[in-house]
Amino acid sequence: MDFVGHALALHRDDRYLDEPALDIVKRMKLYADSLARFQGGSPYIYPLYGLGELPQGFARLSAVYGGTYMLNKPDCKVFFFTSLHII
């Protein structure tokens, strides 16, 4: 039960034990579908060539969506704009 709840369904605590089982079944199905899609191992994303791939992946995503990804810069404020409000 602990393995299914924490390793497959990715629950962080034991609160899932007091909830209906439908959520666990959906999470297990997602895990099984992911496992079937990525043959040969785990469905979890892991950088094959070291942790340096993580900032590279963020930089590529930023470029795809028109953003700028800068390294080694001082902290700054980040604003998220929605259609009505500034969050």
Side-chain angles (χ1 to χ4, degrees), residues 1 7 28 37 42 68:
M1 207 162 57
M28 287 174 43
R37 181 174 180 160
S42 174
T68 302

Side-chain angles (χ1 to χ4, degrees), residues 56-69:
Q56 180 183 3
F58 285 120
R60 287 181 185 212
L61 275 175
S62 180
V64 166
Y65 291 103
T68 302
Y69 189 82

Side-chain angles (χ1 to χ4, degrees), residues 2-4 8 11-12 24 26 28 36 44 51-52 62-63 65 68 71 75 78 84-85:
D2 284 338
F3 177 78
V4 169
L8 297 182
H11 284 285
R12 294 183 184 159
I24 281 265
K26 287 180 180 179
M28 287 174 43
Y44 302 117
L51 295 178
S62 180
Y65 291 103
T68 302
L71 298 173
D75 293 341
V78 177
L84 300 176
H85 304 286

Side-chain angles (χ1 to χ4, degrees), residues 68-85:
T68 302
Y69 189 82
M70 297 185 298
L71 298 173
N72 201 20
K73 293 289 183 184
D75 293 341
C76 64
K77 291 184 180 180
V78 177
F79 295 96
F80 293 96
F81 295 97
T82 64
S83 60
L84 300 176
H85 304 286

